[in-house]
Amino acid sequence: MNGWRDRMRPALAALAAVVLLAVGCTHPTAAPAPRPDPEPGTRPGTIARAELGDRLTVTAAVEQVITDNAFVVRDADLTDGTLLVLSTGPSAPAPPQLVTVVGTVVPFSHRDLATRYHLGPAGPYRTFEGGRALAAQEVTVWEREPPR
């Protein structure tokens, strides 16, 4: 009879382990999963959420033209309300035209970008120095409201 008990003891121990594993895998944990940090109030796709190198599309009103290749747009979704746009395309639009700009977020350094974009003197760019700018690949000027 001891032989039968000696054989059954490991089998019962294994059965108990299988039952515990099955119960542990089928019941949800008592503690709820942690929630992610709340999202900031800025909508996705704006310059405030964009990282350097991200492709971004912005629709905003032209506030100021600095040169044919550099202009400033203004919109409530933009960091500090304004954004410097750098373009190698045709002439810049005029204020207060509405534009849609598709481009890449770049760090702005007048020294590094002045030659490529023909920026002229550094004075008008001082407020943007060290911030982010949008290097435009495409600029669309709207005669009226853009489609939504």
Side-chain angles (χ1 to χ4, degrees), residues 9-95:
R9 200 171 283 167
L12 289 174
L15 180 61
V18 169
V19 170
L20 287 174
L21 285 173
V23 170
C25 292
T26 58
H27 293 306
T29 59
R35 299 190 74 182
D37 291 336
E39 291 290 322
T42 308
R43 286 184 275 164
T46 63
I47 193 74
R49 291 187 49 99
E51 298 292 328
L52 294 176
D54 283 356
R55 187 166 169 85
L56 186 67
T57 301
V58 173
T59 299
V62 176
E63 179 177 83
Q64 174 189 8
V65 175
I66 302 172
T67 68
D68 283 347
N69 295 335
F71 59 95
V72 179
V73 295
R74 175 172 290 283
D75 188 79
D77 287 336
L78 300 174
T79 305
D80 299 327
T82 61
L83 175 64
L84 177 63
V85 177
L86 306 172
S87 173
T88 57
S91 296

Side-chain angles (χ1 to χ4, degrees), residues 94-111:
Q97 288 181 307
L98 190 64
V99 295
T100 297
V101 180
V102 178
T104 304
V105 178
V106 297
F108 182 75
S109 164
H110 183 271
R111 183 177 52 99

